[in-house]
Amino acid sequence: MYSRMIRNDMSKSRLITLATTLFIAAAAMLVSLAAVLVIHLSGAIDTLMKRSETPHFMQMHRGDIDLARLEEFAEQHDNVQEFQVLKFLNIDGSQIRFGNHSLVNHVQDNGFSVQSEKFDYLLDLNGNIIQVNDGELYVPISYWKDGITKVGDEAVISGKLFTVAGFLRDSQMNSSLASSKRFLISPNDFEDLQNRGSIEYLIEFRLVDFSQLKEFETAYALADLETNGPTLTYPLFKTINAISDGMMIGVIILVSLLVVAIAFMCIRFTLLTKIEEDYREIGVMKAIGLRVSDIKRMYLGKYAFIAAMGSILGFLLSFLFQGVLLANIRLYMGESENASLGWLFGVLGSLFVFTAILVYVNGVLKRFHKISAAEAIRFGMSQDKTQRTKGFRLRDKKLLTANIYLGIKDVLTRKRLYGTMLAVLVISTFMMIVPQNLYNTISSDDFIKYMGIGKSDLRIDVQQTENIVGKSSEIRNMMQNDNTISKYAMFTTKTFKMRLKDGTEETIKIEIGDHSQFPVEYSEGRAPIAEDEIALSVLNAEELARKVGDTVPVVIHGMEQDLTVSGIYSDITNGGKTAKAVFDDNTAESMWVVFAAKLADPILIESKVSEYASKFSYAKVSNINQYILQTFGSTMNSVGKATYSAIAVALILSVVITLLFMKMLIAKDRYSISVLKAIGFTNSDIQTQYISRSVFILVIGIFVGTILANTLGEMIAGGLISSFGASTFQFTINPITAYLFSPLLLISFVLIATVVGALGAGRLTISGNIKG
Amino acid sequence: MKKLLIGDQIVKSFSEGNEKRTILDHVSIEIDQGEFVTIMGPSGSGKSTLLFALSGMDEITGGRVLMNGRDISELREKELSDLRRRKMGIVFQQPTMLHNLNMLDNIILPSVKDNRKNVASITQKAEALMERVGIAGLKDRDISKVSGGQLQRAGICRALMNNPDILFADEPTGALNSTSAQGIMNIFSEINQEGIAILLVTHDVKVAARAERILLMLDGKIVRELKLSKNKEGRGDDGKRIEMITEQLREIGI
């Protein structure tokens, strides 16, 4: 009997059954995919890092190195299992050529290494430790993915010929987010190339007890060993490896939650409509003694069937997309050791969706308990409890037409009912505005200021070279006499010692120069102006536990001097731990110098870049726009696509939910509609009332959604942006698209859906609903 | 007397599976201006369907309905709604009020739709009508907070707001106790004496006795017409009239 009822019911509402099944299938597919991807990603990262034997602690260092002291430290420290120092030979991108293609325009630092002997191995695509022969070159996998080279190609590195023998996976520097890339060559070739670039050291440790990492970090810092470069640890390598694909999984999980919510709403509205239509029958069933659980089973059966079909379909569909989505993980990290568990988690994902739907449907059906058999048989429909809205009387609201009044009044008296619809509109508005604002923000010219880089046309970096001071002077002299440059500034970064609150000493990198020129964005305070002021990057301020107005004791000219924190700014450069000051200093050694320049005529940028690049071959000359494009181009592109997708999803969501909501509302309101028709209201009057209800909720929804987008949305987007290193964040808004076009688009779609959904009211007959 | 409403050979039927069911079988009826007509008959005889058909609340399968000489089946939906709002008043067995409006707002609703500016005079008129039917103190009361009889009185007020030519009433006392029913019928009689025609469907002989013409229906047809004198006092307890009606009903086996 049940199966016949289910069949009849579904054939009567084929379109809605199909739509609900598809939403459930999409939800199950996405949840399964997310489960499979999480298992593969975590497994693949673990496998890669296990086989590579990734260091637990690594200190990068430029300049002189005292190997004996480091060895002594490693021997004395009980927790050190293995210790090694690897050489990383930095070679300028212009000196790395594959056929006709050089890496000159690549922002990555490219370096050459030999295979290490103890740990931190570079692996081939089968996960084996690469043994490299003379003349062979192994290239980071990302360059294969970008189509820059392939196996068998010839490569010329600083004039020396190599053959690309294969590609490598590097558990430290695999990710596109890692700013360096390691190439692998033989020890003999390394010997040949050694003088054609600058050496950086990777001081690496594997620990006996990994849980003591923090203590080890402190011990290393206190030992006053080599620290002229960033410090990286095992958890950070893991995070960097996980972040790109992790973000993709995060997006899939978010979208799947959204689709599950849509599926729930579809079910809620269709189920409530069905209950309204069957109200009298439900009353009769209760009256003749059927238990609520028996009645529930009839409805639950239908949704169990739909949920099962949808979940199975979703699980099968997930196989279609697994290959594409896993490709990147497999390429960068190889296979996971627990890949076989993937399908099991996929099944669990689909099962989760199936169960969640049954639990939800069961919850909605609980209202059967509240249905009074007598009332259901007498009226044939639910007698909604309405809330009184004192003071909102027809006779007082002379400015509203009767139809608009009735529309608004209905919303006010049935707030709970309209709450779901309002929530959908708030979410839709939020979904339409936040990605748009985010896109506008990151594609605006000012965005770079959130990243710790002042807005300029031209940037010149002088680093990894001898006599930085002399070379910088040459550049400064040329800029000073260059009348095409309207403004320039020189910032010199030096290392100073400073005293921590607990009395220990640490080093701090301070960028000295006139920071009122090409300013960055300060989250608090302002740029340093006086000689005794210092501005800290957010990371430094957090680590040193300093806020604006506090002092930092820094050793300048051999004397400890208290510098007052004038401001705190976001920074993604140089590991995010930087500081800015304006004092003069001739004692500390310059680590690097950065020039920022603004041109009188921006058209000249390209020619200026070439001019300065050819004149100062030791410097890295960049067009800032190019820099932004290479660093954030792909992110901007993705956010741009996400913006359009979000708008489309929001509109589809609003249309589907409005249609279903209207259908439910008309089923609920068939009595009132018939009364109105009987006393002389036309179909178009009733349609106007439904449109008034929609417009009223739309206005509230758009208003609340917009406010949320600019508060909560800005916070969420800020969180996302902070993953790139920026902490303060304010939306750059295009008011025409965000506050005019988007609401108009949403209003148009919802109104069309309302009109279509309310057509059912015209088909209701008076006699069918109030006779007797 | 001028004919107000004419039903000419009205047919109402629908298909039930392969079977065709006829509810109204070529029914013809004429109602004069200011006339009081009741329709009686057993359940399923088609009396309510006839009332719905004549008021344009239900579509007919055959025949035609003329109101003031115009065929209502030829009217557009808007014209028909306007006609129902301005020229007809309708009272149902169950009080048909909107749940989210109070008593007074429910009553003034059809008038306010046409005339938003004169709300004050419309309200005044509604208050006068409420006073007349004995529910003056209930204007701001929720409809869930009043009795069935009070709601029915409010329904009558609403039906009278636009000074209709005819009042259709489908078992208006069916859900009321005898005291309430009598009160309601007194109001109907008064309205009729003011010149408003009434077409009323009922099972109750006492109610029917208020009319000047009674149509008896059986199986979708009017099988007998009973003409009485005008009930000038509007009383329903006239023994002679009740006896006459009962006799007729018995004769046709009801």
Side-chain angles (χ1 to χ4, degrees):
Chain A
M1 181 184 81
Y2 287 158
S3 64
R4 198 174 63 241
M5 274 178 64
I6 292 169
R7 254 201 322 273
N8 284 344
D9 196 24
M10 288 199 304
S11 68
K12 264 194 240 163
S13 53
R14 279 193 204 114
L15 201 65
I16 289 176
T17 307
L18 182 70
T20 312
T21 313
L22 288 181
F23 275 123
I24 295 172
M29 180 185 84
L30 290 167
V31 173
S32 292
L33 275 177
V36 170
L37 289 174
V38 167
I39 289 299
H40 272 271
L41 179 64
S42 63
I45 291 173
D46 282 344
T47 308
L48 173 70
M49 292 181 82
K50 209 159 90 184
R51 288 194 188 168
S52 299
E53 296 189 35
T54 309
H56 293 146
F57 175 90
M58 182 180 82
Q59 174 67 54
M60 295 179 87
H61 177 76
R62 277 201 194 105
D64 295 336
I65 187 164
D66 188 343
L67 270 176
R69 274 190 67 212
L70 281 165
E71 271 165 19
E72 192 185 339
F73 170 80
E75 269 170 31
Q76 281 174 359
H77 211 281
D78 291 344
N79 200 16
V80 174
Q81 185 185 46
E82 295 274 21
F83 157 73
Q84 68 183 10
V85 176
L86 299 181
K87 284 180 179 172
F88 181 76
L89 177 65
N90 267 303
I91 290 187
D92 192 77
S94 62
Q95 298 302 312
I96 304 172
R97 302 190 71 85
F98 297 98
N100 291 325
H101 189 101
S102 87
L103 299 185
V104 68
N105 286 325
H106 283 251
V107 288
Q108 300 273 5
D109 290 332
N110 294 295
F112 292 76
S113 294
V114 298
Q115 184 63 279
S116 51
E117 285 168 10
K118 296 179 180 168
F119 59 97
D120 190 17
Y121 302 114
L122 299 174
L123 306 178
D124 66 14
L125 301 191
N126 295 320
N128 300 319
I129 298 168
I130 300 170
Q131 299 304 329
V132 59
N133 299 316
D134 290 348
E136 285 181 350
L137 174 70
Y138 280 82
V139 180
I141 189 71
S142 57
Y143 287 123
W144 178 80
K145 200 189 168 213
D146 294 345
I148 287 168
T149 185
K150 57 184 189 304
V151 174
D153 279 359
E154 282 190 346
V156 180
I157 316 295
S158 283
K160 186 173 167 64
L161 186 68
F162 286 88
T163 306
V164 176
F167 294 91
L168 63 86
R169 291 197 185 111
D170 181 343
S171 65
Q172 281 189 35
M173 304 179 191
N174 240 355
S175 164
S176 58
L177 292 172
S179 59
S180 304
K181 289 282 164 284
R182 271 196 285 193
F183 290 76
L184 182 64
I185 51 177
S186 73
N188 291 334
D189 291 334
F190 190 88
E191 199 66 35
D192 282 354
L193 284 181
Q194 197 155 191
N195 297 325
R196 302 184 207 181
S198 62
I199 292 281
E200 195 169 349
Y201 296 97
L202 311 181
I203 304 161
E204 301 182 336
F205 296 87
R206 292 269 298 179
L207 305 181
V208 179
D209 181 2
F210 175 65
S211 65
Q212 301 285 311
L213 178 64
K214 194 80 207 155
E215 287 77 359
F216 180 79
E217 277 186 81
T218 315
Y220 187 90
L222 290 176
D224 203 18
L225 296 164
E226 280 68 3
T227 52
N228 193 6
T231 310
L232 302 159
T233 55
Y234 192 87
L236 190 69
F237 293 134
K238 205 166 180 172
T239 309
I240 289 177
N241 278 326
I243 209 157
S244 306
D245 292 295
M247 275 168 91
M248 174 185 78
I249 294 171
V251 170
I252 291 176
I253 290 174
L254 275 180
V255 175
S256 62
L257 286 177
L258 189 72
V259 177
V260 169
I262 299 175
F264 275 13
M265 273 188 265
C266 275
I267 290 169
R268 180 180 182 80
F269 291 145
T270 47
L271 194 52
L272 292 182
T273 309
K274 186 80 188 113
I275 293 174
E276 280 300 326
E277 287 168 356
D278 296 352
Y279 212 77
R280 202 184 294 270
E281 283 82 348
I282 295 166
V284 172
M285 285 191 274
K286 281 186 95 168
I288 62 170
L290 279 184
R291 284 185 312 179
V292 169
S293 57
D294 295 329
I295 307 171
K296 267 167 85 175
R297 203 173 301 137
M298 294 179 198
Y299 291 83
L300 207 55
K302 175 185 163 187
Y303 284 94
F305 180 75
I306 292 178
M309 287 296 112
S311 301
I312 293 169
L313 183 65
F315 175 66
L316 295 176
L317 282 175
S318 73
F319 281 100
L320 274 183
F321 295 97
Q322 266 181 32
V324 186
L325 295 173
L326 282 173
N328 202 52
I329 297 175
R330 285 190 173 127
L331 180 68
Y332 276 88
M333 275 155 279
E335 277 298 342
S336 155
E337 274 176 0
N338 17 340
S340 54
L341 286 176
W343 71 269
L344 179 68
F345 278 81
V347 170
L348 286 178
S350 290
L351 208 60
F352 166 75
V353 172
F354 174 76
T355 318
I357 286 169
L358 285 198
V359 169
Y360 184 72
V361 170
N362 198 43
V364 175
L365 291 177
K366 276 194 180 138
R367 65 186 55 218
F368 282 167
H369 288 285
K370 291 186 194 148
I371 295 177
S372 136
E375 188 187 277
I377 294 168
R378 186 168 168 217
F379 298 106
M381 59 193 77
S382 61
Q383 304 296 298
D384 274 343
K385 299 229 174 349
T386 55
Q387 285 170 278
R388 284 201 70 180
T389 47
K390 271 196 173 163
F392 196 75
R393 298 184 304 195
L394 177 61
R395 55 185 185 273
D396 300 335
K397 303 291 161 203
K398 297 188 181 79
L399 290 175
L400 303 174
T401 67
N403 290 324
I404 295 177
Y405 169 85
L406 287 176
I408 295 174
K409 177 83 178 178
D410 195 61
V411 178
L412 294 177
T413 46
R414 295 196 288 182
K415 294 190 189 85
R416 259 193 79 189
L417 183 70
Y418 287 95
T420 327
M421 186 66 211
L422 180 68
V424 170
L425 293 174
V426 170
I427 293 169
S428 296
T429 309
F430 188 86
M431 275 172 67
M432 284 174 87
I433 293 179
V434 173
Q436 241 183 86
N437 286 355
L438 180 62
Y439 178 70
N440 276 327
T441 309
I442 62 172
S443 54
S444 83
D445 284 349
D446 282 343
F447 183 63
I448 196 163
K449 293 201 289 191
Y450 288 111
M451 303 290 158
I453 300 166
K455 193 178 152 194
S456 64
D457 292 331
L458 199 70
R459 178 185 161 110
I460 302 177
D461 291 76
V462 186
Q463 56 182 314
Q464 296 171 20
T465 179
E466 305 287 309
N467 187 19
I468 286 180
V469 177
K471 285 171 178 166
S472 304
S473 301
E474 282 178 32
I475 297 173
R476 190 174 53 189
N477 290 340
M478 179 156 163
M479 281 191 161
Q480 205 145 26
N481 299 319
D482 189 339
N483 52 20
T484 61
I485 288 178
S486 62
K487 187 169 88 170
Y488 81 94
M490 178 175 135
F491 303 104
T492 308
T493 299
K494 299 181 173 192
T495 308
F496 294 88
K497 284 215 180 317
M498 80 177 159
R499 193 164 301 284
L500 295 178
K501 280 184 172 169
D502 61 7
T504 57
E505 270 191 352
E506 206 179 77
T507 56
I508 181 168
K509 296 185 195 87
I510 304 178
E511 188 179 45
I512 299 166
D514 180 359
H515 295 290
S516 64
Q517 303 292 323
F518 307 103
V520 297
E521 194 71 32
Y522 284 82
S523 55
E524 282 173 65
R526 51 162 177 80
I529 300 169
E531 293 236 322
D532 61 349
E533 285 182 335
I534 188 167
L536 297 176
S537 70
V538 172
L539 279 186
N540 253 341
E542 270 171 17
E543 200 168 292
L544 302 174
R546 295 296 201 285
K547 49 187 192 301
V548 174
D550 289 353
T551 56
V552 181
V554 177
V555 180
I556 308 167
H557 302 296
M559 299 266 291
E560 194 171 293
Q561 214 174 308
D562 278 340
L563 301 181
T564 308
V565 178
S566 67
I568 293 168
Y569 58 93
S570 309
D571 199 354
I572 60 158
T573 61
N574 304 304
K577 287 190 200 170
T578 59
K580 296 180 193 294
V582 294
F583 60 78
D584 275 330
D585 175 82
N586 303 318
T587 52
E589 194 196 337
S590 297
M591 294 175 72
W592 62 79
V593 172
V594 174
F595 287 91
K598 187 167 169 50
L599 300 184
D601 184 356
I603 286 179
L604 297 172
I605 293 179
E606 277 307 320
S607 62
K608 277 287 146 193
V609 169
S610 314
E611 187 187 334
Y612 277 78
S614 60
K615 190 152 178 68
F616 307 109
S617 59
Y618 49 80
K620 186 173 174 184
V621 185
S622 331
N623 171 345
I624 280 285
N625 289 333
Q626 204 78 47
Y627 176 84
I628 297 172
L629 213 62
Q630 281 197 26
T631 317
F632 306 115
S634 64
T635 312
M636 275 192 244
N637 207 358
S638 311
V639 176
K641 279 184 196 156
T643 304
Y644 291 118
S645 315
I647 292 175
V649 169
L651 290 177
I652 293 169
L653 169 73
S654 310
V655 167
V656 170
I657 299 300
T658 306
L659 278 173
L660 292 172
F661 184 72
M662 285 298 151
K663 203 171 149 56
M664 179 201 69
L665 215 51
I666 283 165
K668 266 182 172 300
D669 291 352
R670 59 195 195 279
Y671 170 80
S672 313
I673 293 169
S674 304
V675 171
L676 286 168
K677 282 186 172 186
I679 61 172
F681 279 75
T682 61
N683 287 335
S684 92
D685 288 328
I686 289 159
Q687 210 149 49
T688 310
Q689 291 171 23
Y690 280 90
I691 290 172
S692 310
R693 298 176 194 192
S694 285
V695 171
F696 187 54
I697 319 171
L698 265 167
V699 169
I700 301 173
I702 289 173
F703 182 73
V704 175
T706 307
I707 288 178
L708 280 180
N710 285 307
T711 49
L712 182 69
E714 200 170 65
M715 251 166 66
I716 294 171
L720 203 69
I721 293 290
S722 71
S723 63
F724 295 107
S727 71
T728 49
F729 177 74
Q730 254 185 335
F731 273 146
T732 305
I733 298 162
N734 178 346
I736 307 248
T737 57
Y739 303 140
L740 186 68
F741 289 154
S742 302
L744 277 181
L745 208 59
L746 187 63
I747 289 172
S748 318
F749 273 73
V750 170
L751 287 189
I752 291 169
T754 306
V755 171
V756 174
L759 285 178
R763 289 190 286 271
L764 287 179
T765 60
I766 304 168
S767 55
N769 294 293
I770 41 176
K771 208 172 189 175
Chain B
M1 190 69 80
K2 199 182 161 196
K3 300 286 175 223
L4 176 67
L5 183 70
I6 299 171
D8 181 21
Q9 296 290 314
I10 299 171
V11 178
K12 173 77 183 174
S13 58
F14 59 86
S15 303
E16 215 172 42
N18 293 328
E19 266 181 55
K20 193 177 171 189
R21 263 194 75 197
T22 302
I23 312 293
L24 297 176
D25 188 4
H26 297 89
V27 177
S28 291
I29 178 175
E30 291 183 352
I31 294 167
D32 293 338
Q33 278 181 348
E35 197 182 6
F36 191 156
V37 180
T38 56
I39 305 171
M40 295 192 79
S43 294
S45 59
K47 48 190 191 304
S48 289
T49 309
L50 179 62
L51 184 132
F52 274 75
L54 290 169
S55 60
M57 290 194 290
D58 208 353
E59 285 180 4
I60 53 176
T61 326
R64 58 189 188 140
V65 176
L66 303 172
M67 172 83 183
N68 288 325
R70 285 188 76 184
D71 186 344
I72 66 168
S73 61
E74 285 177 0
L75 298 178
R76 287 181 294 132
E77 193 247 347
K78 184 181 177 314
E79 290 171 319
L80 185 59
S81 296
D82 287 347
L83 179 75
R84 213 158 39 226
R85 192 170 66 254
R86 291 171 189 160
K87 300 287 176 193
M88 300 173 177
I90 297 160
V91 179
F92 297 94
Q93 180 179 0
Q94 300 287 348
T96 51
M97 295 286 161
L98 297 184
H99 294 291
N100 53 11
L101 299 186
N102 63 25
M103 293 278 270
L104 182 60
D105 283 355
N106 258 298
I107 292 168
I108 63 173
L109 184 61
S111 308
V112 165
K113 179 179 164 22
D114 280 336
N115 203 343
R116 199 71 186 97
K117 284 181 189 153
N118 291 331
V119 179
S121 61
I122 290 169
T123 306
Q124 242 174 13
K125 184 177 178 184
E127 283 169 347
L129 278 169
M130 289 178 85
E131 173 110 40
R132 181 176 164 188
V133 301
I135 51 170
L138 306 176
K139 59 179 188 178
D140 282 323
R141 193 72 71 83
D142 265 3
I143 63 153
S144 57
K145 304 270 166 51
V146 294
S147 72
Q150 288 167 328
L151 272 181
Q152 199 59 297
R153 284 161 199 260
I156 294 169
C157 292
R158 184 179 65 189
L160 294 175
M161 278 302 290
N162 284 335
N163 301 320
D165 292 343
I166 184 167
L167 198 68
F168 293 94
D170 185 15
E171 304 261 18
T173 56
L176 304 178
N177 61 37
S178 60
T179 316
S180 292
Q182 200 171 350
I184 295 290
M185 284 317 299
N186 288 340
I187 297 167
F188 273 100
S189 295
E190 271 178 49
I191 294 164
N192 179 242
Q193 275 155 21
E194 286 164 15
I196 297 174
I198 295 175
L199 179 64
L200 188 146
V201 167
T202 187
H203 277 107
D204 188 338
V205 182
K206 278 187 183 171
V207 169
R210 305 233 180 197
E212 55 194 286
R213 192 151 58 102
I214 298 165
L215 306 172
L216 302 181
M217 285 191 76
L218 200 63
D219 299 332
K221 288 179 180 162
I222 295 176
V223 290
R224 191 161 296 189
E225 184 175 339
L226 184 62
K227 284 192 176 163
L228 304 168
S229 59
K230 186 98 175 167
N231 188 347
K232 285 189 180 141
E233 283 143 34
R235 287 175 47 172
D237 55 355
D238 185 329
K240 259 192 189 165
R241 293 170 82 99
I242 293 173
E243 205 174 302
M244 202 186 300
I245 300 164
T246 314
E247 180 60 31
Q248 293 289 324
L249 289 170
R250 202 176 299 127
E251 273 182 33
I252 60 167
I254 300 172

